[in-house]
């Protein structure tokens, strides 16, 4: 028996619960778990269009999500590679910001 797909409202609530419990857990967790949880939240946010038809899927965010989902667990066994992955994700966002808002003239 499969569970029903959550509505957009349900999915948004799930993200809110995740963020609230992450905030609490970050108090006592190792410092690198905060960035891990933020990336995990970003991965979840990238899926919002699947639950909220008023949003269109963003191919860039889907690429970022794939990278996050592949690299986020590096935090458990290779902190340096995790830091490099976070740095690369931020660089990708900087390039995308430039492309979207400077080159496209928005």
């Amino acid at each position: 028996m499969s569970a029903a797909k959550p509505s957009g409202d349900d999915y948004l609530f799930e993200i809110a619960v995740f963020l609230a419990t992450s905030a609490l857990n970050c108090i006592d967790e190792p410092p690198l778990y905060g960035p891990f949880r933020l990336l995990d939240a970003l991965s979840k946010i990238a899926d919002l269009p699947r639950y909220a038809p008023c949003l269109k899927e963003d191919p860039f965010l889907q690429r970022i999500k794939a990278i996050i989902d592949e690299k986020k667990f590096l935090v458990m066994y290779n902190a340096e590679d995790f830091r490099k992955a976070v740095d690369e994700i931020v660089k990708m966002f900087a390039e995308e910001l430039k492309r979207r808002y400077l080159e496209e003239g928005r």
Side-chain angles (χ1 to χ4, degrees):
M1 178 180 233
S2 65
K5 178 179 166 183
S7 69
D9 293 332
D10 293 336
Y11 191 67
L12 180 59
F13 183 75
E14 288 176 19
I15 293 171
V17 169
F18 172 79
L19 290 171
T21 57
S22 292
L24 179 62
N25 289 334
C26 282
I27 292 171
D28 294 320
E29 287 179 334
L32 275 178
Y33 281 26
F36 165 81
R37 291 183 178 281
L38 289 170
L39 289 180
D40 206 21
L42 175 55
S43 175
K44 293 174 187 316
I45 288 168
D47 280 339
L48 270 174
R50 293 182 185 176
Y51 302 95
C54 62
L55 299 172
K56 61 182 177 181
E57 189 168 298
D58 186 316
F60 173 78
L61 289 180
Q62 288 305 307
R63 282 195 316 276
I64 291 293
K65 175 185 174 37
I67 293 167
I68 289 170
D69 292 347
E70 176 188 340
K71 305 277 186 177
K72 67 185 176 185
F73 292 111
L74 286 170
V75 74
M76 305 293 186
Y77 55 89
N78 192 328
E80 184 58 32
D81 282 351
F82 176 76
R83 288 176 191 269
K84 287 177 185 176
V86 174
D87 188 52
E88 185 60 33
I89 289 167
V90 171
K91 286 178 183 176
M92 291 174 70
F93 267 104
E95 288 298 316
E96 184 66 8
L97 276 166
K98 179 181 171 186
R99 186 189 70 74
R100 288 188 188 197
Y101 297 104
L102 295 178
E103 294 171 6
E104 290 183 3
R106 286 195 217 173

